[in-house]
Amino acid sequence: MLLYRDSLFRLHHQTHGHPERPERLEAIDRMLQQAPYADRFHVGECRDATGDELARAHSRSYIHRVAATHGVPHTRFDSDTTANEHSYAAARRAAGSAIAAVDAILDGPDRRAFVLSRPPGHHAEAAHAAGFCFFNNAAIAAEHALARGLRRVCILDWDVHHGNGSMHSFYDRPDVLYASVHEYPHFPGTGRFGDIGHGAGEGYTISCPLPAGCADADYLHVLRNLVYPVAHEFNPDLVIVSAGYDAHRRDPLASMKLSTAAYEVFAVLDCELADSRAGGRLLYLLEGGYDTSALAEGVDASLRVLTGSTAAGTPGRDTVAEADTDDTAKVDTSVQDVARRLIELYKPYWPGLEAFS
Ligand SMILES: [Zn+2]
């Protein structure tokens, strides 16, 4: 597999004490130095997105607004999104590296890639920055894959926050399935029950709002009974994962209770989807995750699976067995109820869900 890292991603700073900070990548770097699977990945070549590539997901006037921050020490976009003199360059390289990873995956021989970039992307809208995000890396990567001739791209988003920008990018289109499991109500306030897409895109937005406090069994119940069955039925040519690690139980910005091992199980499910439907083509893009050690552990859990290394049993980590459960008794009754309602909601669009109701 391919791993994309660049020192530019650490030069983007927001305000003092901001949770989306360079230390996030430094923690991942430290983890990678000791990773037993270091010989199992190649280093991908990062590059900048062109203006035309950014314009597939953003308005020209907005791209110019972000570009105008280049070299300017401090530009505030909203209450929690601020650019420094390097932010535009970092954001453009994050988007470009996602595109480079799509190209590498399509051209082979590597079929899996993880872009470890900052700033993240899934809150960025077509014409404004939001939630620490400037350019929507997942949307730009999906558009690039379609421009290269793929017919269907699936974006799975298990960051704890709903990816409003990603959803809005494809809300009325059937060529990109956008599926999100997220805490609700919570920032950014989108991703309600019933957000199913519009027009030709009706049924192609899967929005799974879950109550605060969900643990591994709750997530896996919704993922196994709704999200992955729909994604398999969608039959994508490429799977893009908005990989945010802020649903971890130690994350300071949200109230979910995932163990580190949950990310290993998610990766197994992502690989199964990509391998069985998309010729193995699987792209992970880093989104959130604000407890730096939980973030590094989560990325490590993902990479153990993506590189085909050994899974469970490393001392000090949760075991996969703890996370990987089909035991409905462990699923909170309110989550069982949400899952039932979601399956009923999406069954008209995805007949395969009949088996799960
Ligand atoms: Zn997040």
Side-chain angles (χ1 to χ4, degrees), residues 73-145:
H74 184 89
T75 307
R76 187 173 184 263
F77 280 82
D78 72 10
S79 58
D80 53 24
T81 313
T82 303
N84 75 347
E85 61 268 40
H86 303 292
S87 300
Y88 168 64
R92 195 164 65 135
R93 190 156 300 173
S97 301
I99 292 169
V102 168
D103 281 333
I105 288 169
L106 295 189
D107 298 336
D110 294 293
R111 292 287 175 171
R112 296 174 184 168
F114 199 151
V115 181
L116 293 166
S117 57
R118 297 177 56 248
H122 72 156
H123 296 306
E125 296 277 2
H128 65 89
F132 321 161
C133 303
F134 294 91
F135 297 136
N136 196 310
N137 304 318
I140 290 166
E143 292 284 15
H144 183 72

Side-chain angles (χ1 to χ4, degrees), residues 225-226 229-230 233 343 346-357:
N225 292 294
L226 177 75
V230 169
E233 193 168 344
I343 289 165
Y346 286 105
K347 216 161 55 177
Y349 307 98
W350 304 100
L353 290 177
E354 200 68 54
F356 296 90
S357 54

Side-chain angles (χ1 to χ4, degrees), residues 122-123 132 159-162 244-246 253 287-290:
H122 72 156
H123 296 306
F132 321 161
D159 186 282
V160 79
H161 304 98
H162 179 249
Y245 296 84
D246 41 11
L253 295 195
E287 300 283 1
Y290 303 101

